[in-house]
Amino acid sequence: MTNRVGEYDVIVVGGGHAGSEAALAAARIGCSTLMITLNLDMIAHMACNPSLGGPAKGHVVREIDALGGEMAKVIDKTHIQMRMLNTGKGPAVYALRAQADKVLYQREMKKRLENQPNLELQQNMVERLIVENGICRGVVTRTGATYYAKAVVLTTGTYLRGKIIIGDLSYESGPNNQQPSVNLAYHLKDLGFDILRFKTGTPPRINRNSIDTTKMEEQPGDSVPRAFSFETTEFNMDQLPCWLTHTNERTHQIIRDNLHRAPMYSGAIEGRGPRYCPSVEDKVVRFADKGRHQVFVEPEGRETEEMYVQGLSTSLPEEVQVEILRSVRGLEKAEMMRTGYAIEYDAIDPTQIWPTLETKLVQNLFTAGQINGTSGYEEAAAQGLIAGINAARKCMGKEPIVLKRSEAYIGVLIDDLVTKGTQEPYRLLTSRAEYRLLLRHDNADLRLTDIGYQAGLISEERYQRFQAKREAIAKEIARLRQTKVRPTAEVQNILRQMGTTEIHNAVELANLIKRPELGYKQIAQMSPPPEELPPEVVEQVEIQLKYEGYIKKALQQVEKMKKIEEKRIPDWVDYRQVAGISSEAREKLERVRPITLGQASRISGVNPADISILMIHIEQGSKAVRK
């Protein structure tokens, strides 16, 4: 018999990166919130690489911050290294990456959750949901406790029927030998959810004292202050280096000689693994022509000697892992502290989720993170934030927030999942975004802070600072458009020094800054602003003017697609009654049930002719409804 313990507005199941953001968002918006997680000491645990950011993922961390999430602030406080990647290219692909102190990150996030008003934490295991007439009403734990809520957010990570595999050994487990969640996995299947079986993996960890870094290439952090959060004002410059080495032919031969013992080739692994983060045995097989692969040796924190061996993710037997490690230059005497492993787990088919992250099968039930088929802490946190916002808004009777593909990488991520689904752990890439020139690392606040403020996650004080920044950017751009410089001796000298051609007539500063050789610093020498501008304002002025032509084209493309993107598909549309569309399109449309024509157009198997027919059907039906 169940025991009714409490009632809340929102219950969040799981305390990883998705669960942390979901719980904080719901509580900050004003909902009474309960987070139930298997182990309070594993909140926001980095079970794989203790790092955040990189291409696309770094953009997402910035977007989380712009919306009022917590991940960026925590990594800014607890990182051991920061590097901006792709600085030799344009600003659209700049990507910040941070190496985390995994224990400090975990503790800091836990502390913020513990001190958040409206939020309670509890260590327990949720075994099933309370579903009445297709509506989720609460959860039941292993201890029999029953908690009721207006909305529930599932963020179960890789714990659903988790199974660890090392060589011939396999056993039920969550990551890092934590308890798996078995009964909840079967319960979701009983509710009618289509279940996917995925796999991910992690490399061995080694003792810093057993490696020879003199044989490796040092990878230091940047010497200039970096931060993910737009609110960070204190920068940690006490950084630890990472180290680069490579596999070699001997490494590859050891792997080839033991492929028959590799679970992914012996048939022991059933789940689909991540395409863009393959195991080392998979790399050796798939890229047989490559003589070596990169191996990064990265510290796991300041107060530990454990090092993470990025690039050697494997589920081969332990003795083979040791042999592989010691074949790598600089790791000849490596002591393995933790064995690499593969982990299989259940996820739900994400086409069963609305763009709000509420499930289609059960009302008031939201899902976020790896349960939706993604990989990566950043993707999980982004979904958790949106799920938490929308769960809270549903409790309050407010319209949900859905980010467009032209607004955020988070919008691309969620739209890809719910529209196209995934047959392997999904990883966000810059190439997935058709408007990536607009979705830059530097302008996440300009794109999303208004939405975060509307959601109730941006304070009034922060919003006023943001508005002042936006106004300063607009004011300076206007000044540079209105100000002309003449070919004086001083101006010509600056141009010669910068290796660019001299001018013969008066030229607008806004046009002059577009020259590749010139930046805002040189333009300001020719005509200083009335007052010194903050670096973040200068950065925006320069980028927006330098890339103005490209940005305009991208905005025109967004505007061109706006009609189809915003054209809602009415609830009365019955795809079985739409004559002329292909049978494949009809089947896919019925399954996904897209909200707009834009979303429908991105469904695999739905072609432009189907969209045209659907558009006519909607127009004709709307006229009939109006009559």
Coordinates of all heavy atoms in Angstrom, one line a residue, residues 266-339:
S266 N 31.7 -8.7 -30.6 CA 31.4 -10.1 -30.2 C 29.9 -10.3 -30.1 O 29.4 -11.4 -30.0 CB 32.0 -10.5 -28.9 OG 31.4 -9.8 -27.8
G267 N 29.1 -9.2 -30.2 CA 27.7 -9.3 -30.1 C 27.1 -9.1 -28.7 O 25.9 -9.1 -28.4
A268 N 28.0 -8.8 -27.7 CA 27.6 -8.7 -26.3 C 26.9 -7.3 -26.1 O 26.1 -7.2 -25.2 CB 28.8 -8.7 -25.4
I269 N 27.2 -6.4 -27.0 CA 26.5 -5.1 -26.9 C 25.4 -5.0 -28.0 O 25.6 -5.2 -29.2 CB 27.5 -3.9 -27.1 CG1 28.5 -3.8 -25.9 CG2 26.8 -2.6 -27.4 CD1 29.5 -2.7 -26.1
E270 N 24.2 -4.7 -27.5 CA 23.0 -4.6 -28.4 C 22.8 -3.1 -28.8 O 22.3 -2.8 -29.9 CB 21.8 -5.1 -27.8 CG 21.9 -6.6 -27.3 CD 20.7 -7.0 -26.4 OE1 19.7 -6.3 -26.4 OE2 20.8 -8.0 -25.8
G271 N 23.1 -2.2 -27.9 CA 22.7 -0.8 -28.1 C 23.5 -0.1 -29.2 O 24.7 -0.5 -29.4
R272 N 23.0 0.9 -29.8 CA 23.7 1.8 -30.7 C 24.5 2.8 -30.0 O 24.1 3.5 -29.1 CB 22.7 2.5 -31.7 CG 21.9 1.5 -32.6 CD 22.8 1.0 -33.7 NE 23.2 2.1 -34.6 CZ 22.6 2.5 -35.7 NH1 21.4 2.0 -36.0 NH2 23.0 3.5 -36.4
G273 N 25.8 2.9 -30.4 CA 26.7 3.8 -29.8 C 26.8 5.2 -30.5 O 26.2 5.3 -31.6
P274 N 27.4 6.2 -29.9 CA 27.4 7.5 -30.5 C 28.4 7.5 -31.7 O 29.6 7.2 -31.6 CB 27.9 8.4 -29.4 CG 28.6 7.5 -28.4 CD 28.0 6.1 -28.6
R275 N 27.9 8.0 -32.8 CA 28.8 8.1 -34.0 C 30.0 9.0 -33.9 O 31.0 8.8 -34.4 CB 27.9 8.6 -35.2 CG 28.6 8.8 -36.5 CD 27.6 9.4 -37.5 NE 26.4 8.7 -37.7 CZ 26.2 7.8 -38.6 NH1 27.1 7.5 -39.5 NH2 25.0 7.1 -38.7
Y276 N 29.7 10.1 -33.2 CA 30.8 11.2 -33.1 C 31.7 11.1 -31.9 O 32.4 12.0 -31.6 CB 30.1 12.5 -33.2 CG 29.3 12.7 -34.5 CD1 28.0 12.6 -34.5 CD2 30.0 12.9 -35.7 CE1 27.2 12.7 -35.7 CE2 29.3 13.0 -36.9 CZ 27.9 12.9 -36.9 OH 27.2 13.0 -38.1
C277 N 31.5 10.0 -31.1 CA 32.4 9.7 -30.0 C 32.7 8.2 -29.9 O 32.3 7.6 -28.9 CB 31.8 10.3 -28.7 SG 32.9 10.2 -27.3
P278 N 33.3 7.7 -30.9 CA 33.4 6.2 -31.0 C 34.5 5.7 -30.0 O 35.4 6.4 -29.6 CB 33.9 6.0 -32.4 CG 34.6 7.2 -32.8 CD 33.9 8.3 -32.1
S279 N 34.4 4.4 -29.7 CA 35.5 3.8 -28.9 C 36.7 3.7 -29.7 O 36.7 3.8 -31.0 CB 35.0 2.4 -28.5 OG 34.9 1.5 -29.6
V280 N 37.9 3.4 -29.1 CA 39.1 3.4 -29.8 C 39.2 2.1 -30.7 O 39.7 2.2 -31.8 CB 40.3 3.4 -28.8 CG1 40.4 2.1 -27.9 CG2 41.6 3.6 -29.5
E281 N 38.5 1.0 -30.3 CA 38.5 -0.1 -31.2 C 37.6 0.1 -32.4 O 38.0 -0.3 -33.5 CB 38.0 -1.4 -30.4 CG 36.7 -1.3 -29.6 CD 36.9 -0.9 -28.2 OE1 37.8 -0.1 -27.9 OE2 36.1 -1.5 -27.3
D282 N 36.6 0.9 -32.2 CA 35.8 1.3 -33.4 C 36.6 2.2 -34.3 O 36.5 2.1 -35.6 CB 34.5 2.0 -32.9 CG 33.4 2.1 -34.0 OD1 33.5 1.3 -34.9 OD2 32.5 3.0 -33.9
K283 N 37.4 3.1 -33.8 CA 38.2 4.0 -34.6 C 39.2 3.2 -35.4 O 39.4 3.5 -36.6 CB 38.9 5.1 -33.8 CG 37.9 6.2 -33.3 CD 38.7 7.3 -32.6 CE 39.2 7.0 -31.2 NZ 39.7 8.2 -30.5
V284 N 39.8 2.2 -34.8 CA 40.9 1.5 -35.5 C 40.3 0.7 -36.6 O 40.9 0.5 -37.7 CB 41.6 0.5 -34.4 CG1 42.4 -0.5 -35.2 CG2 42.4 1.4 -33.5
V285 N 39.1 0.2 -36.4 CA 38.4 -0.6 -37.5 C 37.9 0.3 -38.6 O 38.1 0.1 -39.8 CB 37.2 -1.4 -36.9 CG1 36.4 -2.1 -38.0 CG2 37.8 -2.5 -36.0
R286 N 37.2 1.4 -38.2 CA 36.6 2.3 -39.2 C 37.6 3.1 -40.0 O 37.4 3.5 -41.1 CB 35.6 3.2 -38.5 CG 34.2 2.5 -38.2 CD 33.4 3.3 -37.2 NE 33.1 4.7 -37.7 CZ 32.6 5.6 -37.0 NH1 32.3 5.4 -35.8 NH2 32.4 6.8 -37.6
F287 N 38.7 3.5 -39.3 CA 39.7 4.3 -40.0 C 41.0 3.6 -40.0 O 42.0 4.0 -39.5 CB 39.8 5.6 -39.2 CG 38.5 6.3 -39.0 CD1 38.0 6.4 -37.7 CD2 37.8 7.0 -40.0 CE1 36.8 7.0 -37.5 CE2 36.6 7.6 -39.8 CZ 36.1 7.6 -38.5
A288 N 40.9 2.4 -40.7 CA 42.1 1.5 -40.8 C 43.3 2.1 -41.5 O 44.4 1.7 -41.2 CB 41.7 0.2 -41.5
D289 N 43.1 3.2 -42.3 CA 44.2 3.8 -43.0 C 44.9 4.8 -42.1 O 46.0 5.3 -42.5 CB 43.6 4.5 -44.3 CG 42.6 5.5 -43.9 OD1 41.7 5.3 -43.0 OD2 42.6 6.6 -44.5
K290 N 44.4 5.2 -41.0 CA 45.1 6.2 -40.1 C 46.1 5.5 -39.3 O 45.8 4.5 -38.6 CB 44.0 6.9 -39.3 CG 43.1 7.8 -40.1 CD 42.4 8.8 -39.2 CE 43.4 9.9 -38.7 NZ 42.7 11.0 -38.0
G291 N 47.3 6.1 -39.2 CA 48.4 5.5 -38.5 C 48.4 5.8 -37.0 O 49.0 5.2 -36.2
R292 N 47.6 6.9 -36.7 CA 47.5 7.2 -35.2 C 46.3 8.1 -35.0 O 45.7 8.6 -35.9 CB 48.8 8.1 -34.8 CG 48.9 9.4 -35.5 CD 50.1 10.2 -35.0 NE 50.1 11.6 -35.4 CZ 50.9 12.5 -34.9 NH1 51.9 12.1 -34.1 NH2 50.8 13.7 -35.3
H293 N 45.9 8.1 -33.7 CA 44.7 8.9 -33.3 C 45.2 9.7 -32.0 O 46.0 9.3 -31.2 CB 43.6 8.0 -32.9 CG 43.0 7.2 -34.0 ND1 42.2 7.8 -35.0 CD2 43.2 5.9 -34.4 CE1 41.9 6.8 -35.9 NE2 42.5 5.7 -35.5
Q294 N 44.5 10.9 -31.9 CA 44.9 11.8 -30.8 C 44.4 11.2 -29.4 O 43.4 10.6 -29.4 CB 44.2 13.1 -31.0 CG 44.9 14.0 -32.1 CD 44.3 15.4 -32.1 OE1 43.1 15.5 -31.9 NE2 45.1 16.3 -32.5
V295 N 45.3 11.4 -28.4 CA 44.9 11.0 -27.1 C 45.2 12.2 -26.2 O 46.4 12.7 -26.1 CB 45.7 9.8 -26.6 CG1 45.5 9.5 -25.1 CG2 45.4 8.6 -27.5
F296 N 44.2 12.7 -25.5 CA 44.4 13.9 -24.6 C 44.4 13.3 -23.1 O 43.4 12.6 -22.8 CB 43.3 14.9 -24.8 CG 43.4 15.7 -26.1 CD1 42.7 15.2 -27.2 CD2 44.2 16.8 -26.2 CE1 42.8 15.9 -28.4 CE2 44.3 17.5 -27.4 CZ 43.6 17.0 -28.5
V297 N 45.4 13.7 -22.4 CA 45.4 13.3 -21.0 C 45.1 14.5 -20.1 O 45.8 15.5 -20.2 CB 46.8 12.8 -20.6 CG1 46.9 12.3 -19.2 CG2 47.2 11.6 -21.5
E298 N 43.9 14.4 -19.4 CA 43.3 15.6 -18.8 C 43.1 15.4 -17.3 O 42.6 14.4 -16.9 CB 42.0 15.9 -19.5 CG 42.1 16.1 -21.0 CD 40.8 16.2 -21.8 OE1 39.9 15.5 -21.3 OE2 40.8 16.8 -22.8
P299 N 43.5 16.4 -16.5 CA 43.3 16.3 -15.0 C 41.8 16.2 -14.7 O 41.0 16.9 -15.4 CB 43.9 17.6 -14.5 CG 44.7 18.1 -15.6 CD 44.1 17.7 -16.9
E300 N 41.4 15.4 -13.7 CA 40.0 15.4 -13.2 C 39.7 16.4 -12.1 O 38.6 16.5 -11.7 CB 39.7 14.0 -12.8 CG 39.7 12.9 -13.9 CD 38.5 12.1 -13.9 OE1 38.0 11.7 -12.9 OE2 38.0 11.8 -15.0
G301 N 40.8 17.0 -11.6 CA 40.6 18.0 -10.6 C 41.9 18.5 -9.9 O 43.0 17.9 -10.2
R302 N 41.8 19.4 -9.1 CA 43.0 20.0 -8.4 C 43.5 19.1 -7.3 O 44.7 19.0 -7.0 CB 42.8 21.4 -7.9 CG 42.4 22.4 -9.0 CD 42.3 23.8 -8.4 NE 41.8 24.7 -9.4 CZ 42.6 25.3 -10.3 NH1 43.9 25.1 -10.3 NH2 42.1 26.1 -11.2
E303 N 42.6 18.4 -6.6 CA 42.9 17.6 -5.4 C 42.9 16.1 -5.6 O 42.7 15.4 -4.7 CB 41.9 18.0 -4.3 CG 41.8 19.4 -3.9 CD 43.1 20.0 -3.4 OE1 43.8 19.3 -2.7 OE2 43.4 21.2 -3.7
T304 N 43.2 15.7 -6.9 CA 43.3 14.3 -7.2 C 44.4 14.1 -8.2 O 44.7 15.0 -9.0 CB 41.9 13.8 -7.8 OG1 42.1 12.4 -8.1 CG2 41.5 14.5 -9.0
E305 N 44.9 12.9 -8.2 CA 46.0 12.6 -9.2 C 45.4 11.8 -10.4 O 46.1 11.4 -11.3 CB 47.1 11.7 -8.6 CG 47.8 12.4 -7.4 CD 48.4 13.8 -7.8 OE1 48.9 13.9 -8.9 OE2 48.2 14.7 -6.9
E306 N 44.0 11.6 -10.4 CA 43.4 10.9 -11.5 C 43.4 11.8 -12.8 O 43.1 12.9 -12.7 CB 41.9 10.6 -11.1 CG 41.7 9.2 -10.7 CD 40.3 8.8 -10.5 OE1 39.7 9.1 -9.5 OE2 39.7 8.2 -11.4
M307 N 43.7 11.1 -13.9 CA 43.7 11.7 -15.2 C 42.8 11.0 -16.1 O 42.8 9.7 -16.1 CB 45.2 11.7 -15.8 CG 46.2 12.4 -14.9 SD 46.1 14.2 -14.9 CE 47.0 14.6 -16.4
Y308 N 42.1 11.7 -16.9 CA 41.1 11.2 -17.9 C 41.8 11.0 -19.2 O 42.5 12.0 -19.7 CB 39.9 12.2 -18.0 CG 38.8 11.8 -18.9 CD1 37.7 11.0 -18.5 CD2 38.9 12.1 -20.3 CE1 36.7 10.7 -19.4 CE2 37.9 11.8 -21.2 CZ 36.8 11.0 -20.7 OH 35.8 10.7 -21.6
V309 N 41.7 9.9 -19.8 CA 42.4 9.6 -21.1 C 41.5 9.7 -22.3 O 40.9 8.7 -22.7 CB 43.1 8.2 -21.1 CG1 44.1 8.1 -22.2 CG2 43.9 8.0 -19.7
Q310 N 41.2 10.9 -22.7 CA 40.3 11.2 -23.8 C 40.8 10.6 -25.1 O 42.0 10.9 -25.5 CB 40.0 12.7 -24.0 CG 38.9 13.0 -25.0 CD 38.8 14.4 -25.3 OE1 39.3 15.3 -24.5 NE2 38.2 14.8 -26.4
G311 N 40.0 9.8 -25.8 CA 40.4 9.2 -27.0 C 40.6 7.7 -26.9 O 40.8 7.0 -27.9
L312 N 40.6 7.2 -25.7 CA 40.8 5.8 -25.5 C 39.6 5.1 -24.8 O 39.7 4.2 -24.0 CB 42.0 5.5 -24.6 CG 43.4 5.7 -25.3 CD1 44.5 5.2 -24.4 CD2 43.5 5.0 -26.7
S313 N 38.4 5.6 -25.2 CA 37.2 5.0 -24.7 C 37.1 3.6 -25.2 O 37.3 3.3 -26.4 CB 35.9 5.8 -25.2 OG 34.7 5.2 -24.8
T314 N 36.9 2.6 -24.3 CA 36.9 1.2 -24.6 C 36.2 0.3 -23.7 O 35.9 0.7 -22.5 CB 38.4 0.7 -24.7 OG1 38.4 -0.6 -25.1 CG2 39.1 0.9 -23.3
S315 N 35.7 -0.8 -24.2 CA 35.1 -1.8 -23.3 C 35.8 -3.2 -23.4 O 35.3 -4.2 -23.1 CB 33.6 -2.0 -23.7 OG 33.5 -2.3 -25.1
L316 N 37.1 -3.1 -23.9 CA 37.9 -4.3 -24.0 C 38.2 -4.8 -22.5 O 38.1 -4.1 -21.6 CB 39.2 -4.0 -24.7 CG 39.0 -4.0 -26.3 CD1 40.2 -3.3 -26.9 CD2 38.9 -5.4 -26.8
P317 N 38.6 -6.1 -22.4 CA 39.0 -6.6 -21.0 C 40.1 -5.7 -20.4 O 40.9 -5.1 -21.0 CB 39.5 -8.0 -21.3 CG 38.8 -8.4 -22.6 CD 38.7 -7.1 -23.4
E318 N 40.1 -5.8 -19.0 CA 41.0 -4.9 -18.3 C 42.5 -5.1 -18.7 O 43.2 -4.1 -18.8 CB 40.8 -5.2 -16.8 CG 39.5 -4.7 -16.2 CD 39.3 -5.1 -14.8 OE1 38.8 -6.2 -14.5 OE2 39.7 -4.3 -13.9
E319 N 42.9 -6.4 -18.8 CA 44.3 -6.6 -19.1 C 44.7 -6.0 -20.5 O 45.8 -5.5 -20.7 CB 44.7 -8.0 -19.0 CG 44.2 -9.0 -20.1 CD 42.8 -9.5 -19.8 OE1 42.1 -8.9 -18.9 OE2 42.3 -10.4 -20.5
V320 N 43.7 -6.0 -21.4 CA 44.0 -5.4 -22.7 C 44.1 -3.9 -22.6 O 44.9 -3.3 -23.3 CB 42.9 -5.9 -23.7 CG1 43.2 -5.3 -25.1 CG2 42.8 -7.4 -23.8
Q321 N 43.2 -3.3 -21.8 CA 43.2 -1.9 -21.6 C 44.6 -1.4 -21.1 O 45.1 -0.4 -21.5 CB 42.1 -1.5 -20.6 CG 40.7 -1.7 -21.2 CD 39.6 -1.0 -20.3 OE1 39.9 0.0 -19.6 NE2 38.4 -1.6 -20.3
V322 N 45.1 -2.2 -20.1 CA 46.5 -1.8 -19.6 C 47.5 -1.9 -20.7 O 48.3 -1.0 -20.8 CB 46.8 -2.7 -18.4 CG1 48.3 -2.5 -18.0 CG2 45.9 -2.5 -17.2
E323 N 47.4 -2.9 -21.5 CA 48.4 -3.1 -22.6 C 48.3 -1.9 -23.6 O 49.3 -1.4 -24.1 CB 48.1 -4.4 -23.3 CG 49.3 -4.9 -24.2 CD 49.0 -6.3 -24.8 OE1 48.0 -6.9 -24.4 OE2 49.9 -6.7 -25.6
I324 N 47.0 -1.5 -23.9 CA 46.8 -0.4 -24.8 C 47.4 0.9 -24.3 O 48.1 1.6 -25.0 CB 45.3 -0.2 -25.1 CG1 44.8 -1.4 -26.0 CG2 45.0 1.1 -25.8 CD1 43.2 -1.4 -26.1
L325 N 47.1 1.1 -23.0 CA 47.6 2.4 -22.4 C 49.1 2.4 -22.5 O 49.7 3.4 -22.9 CB 47.2 2.4 -20.9 CG 45.8 2.8 -20.6 CD1 45.4 2.5 -19.1 CD2 45.5 4.3 -20.9
R326 N 49.8 1.3 -22.1 CA 51.3 1.3 -22.0 C 51.9 1.3 -23.4 O 53.2 1.4 -23.5 CB 51.7 0.2 -21.1 CG 51.3 0.4 -19.7 CD 51.7 -0.7 -18.8 NE 51.3 -0.4 -17.4 CZ 51.4 -1.2 -16.4 NH1 51.8 -2.5 -16.5 NH2 50.9 -0.9 -15.2
S327 N 51.2 1.2 -24.5 CA 51.7 1.2 -25.8 C 51.8 2.7 -26.3 O 52.5 3.0 -27.3 CB 50.9 0.4 -26.8 OG 49.6 1.1 -27.0
V328 N 51.2 3.6 -25.6 CA 51.1 5.0 -26.0 C 52.3 5.8 -25.4 O 52.7 5.6 -24.3 CB 49.8 5.6 -25.5 CG1 49.7 7.1 -25.9 CG2 48.6 4.9 -26.2
R329 N 52.9 6.6 -26.3 CA 54.0 7.4 -25.8 C 53.7 8.3 -24.6 O 52.7 9.0 -24.6 CB 54.5 8.3 -27.0 CG 55.7 9.2 -26.7 CD 56.1 10.0 -28.0 NE 57.2 10.9 -27.7 CZ 58.5 10.6 -27.6 NH1 58.9 9.4 -27.8 NH2 59.4 11.5 -27.4
G330 N 54.5 8.2 -23.6 CA 54.3 8.9 -22.3 C 53.5 8.1 -21.3 O 53.5 8.5 -20.1
L331 N 52.9 7.1 -21.7 CA 52.1 6.3 -20.8 C 52.6 4.9 -20.6 O 51.9 3.9 -20.2 CB 50.6 6.1 -21.4 CG 49.9 7.4 -21.7 CD1 48.4 7.1 -22.2 CD2 49.8 8.4 -20.6
E332 N 53.9 4.7 -20.9 CA 54.6 3.4 -20.8 C 54.5 2.7 -19.5 O 54.5 1.5 -19.4 CB 56.0 3.5 -21.3 CG 56.3 3.9 -22.7 CD 56.3 5.4 -23.0 OE1 56.0 6.2 -22.0 OE2 56.6 5.8 -24.1
K333 N 54.4 3.5 -18.4 CA 54.3 3.0 -17.1 C 53.0 3.4 -16.4 O 52.9 3.4 -15.2 CB 55.5 3.5 -16.2 CG 56.8 3.1 -16.8 CD 58.0 3.6 -15.9 CE 59.3 3.1 -16.4 NZ 60.4 3.7 -15.6
A334 N 52.0 3.7 -17.2 CA 50.7 4.1 -16.7 C 50.1 3.1 -15.7 O 50.0 1.9 -16.0 CB 49.7 4.4 -17.8
E335 N 49.6 3.6 -14.6 CA 48.8 2.8 -13.6 C 47.3 3.1 -13.8 O 46.9 4.3 -13.7 CB 49.2 3.2 -12.2 CG 50.7 2.8 -11.9 CD 51.1 3.4 -10.6 OE1 50.2 3.9 -9.8 OE2 52.3 3.4 -10.3
M336 N 46.6 2.1 -14.2 CA 45.1 2.3 -14.4 C 44.4 2.3 -13.1 O 44.4 1.3 -12.3 CB 44.6 1.2 -15.3 CG 43.2 1.4 -15.8 SD 42.7 0.3 -17.2 CE 42.6 -1.2 -16.3
M337 N 43.7 3.4 -12.8 CA 43.0 3.6 -11.5 C 41.5 3.1 -11.7 O 40.9 2.6 -10.7 CB 43.0 5.0 -11.0 CG 44.5 5.5 -10.7 SD 44.5 7.2 -10.2 CE 43.7 7.2 -8.6
R338 N 40.9 3.4 -12.8 CA 39.6 3.0 -13.1 C 39.5 2.4 -14.5 O 40.2 2.9 -15.4 CB 38.6 4.1 -13.0 CG 38.5 4.8 -11.7 CD 37.4 5.8 -11.6 NE 37.6 6.7 -10.5 CZ 36.7 7.1 -9.7 NH1 35.4 6.6 -9.7 NH2 36.9 8.0 -8.8
T339 N 38.8 1.3 -14.7 CA 38.7 0.6 -16.0 C 37.7 1.3 -16.9 O 36.6 1.8 -16.4 CB 38.2 -0.8 -15.7 OG1 39.1 -1.4 -14.7 CG2 38.4 -1.6 -17.0

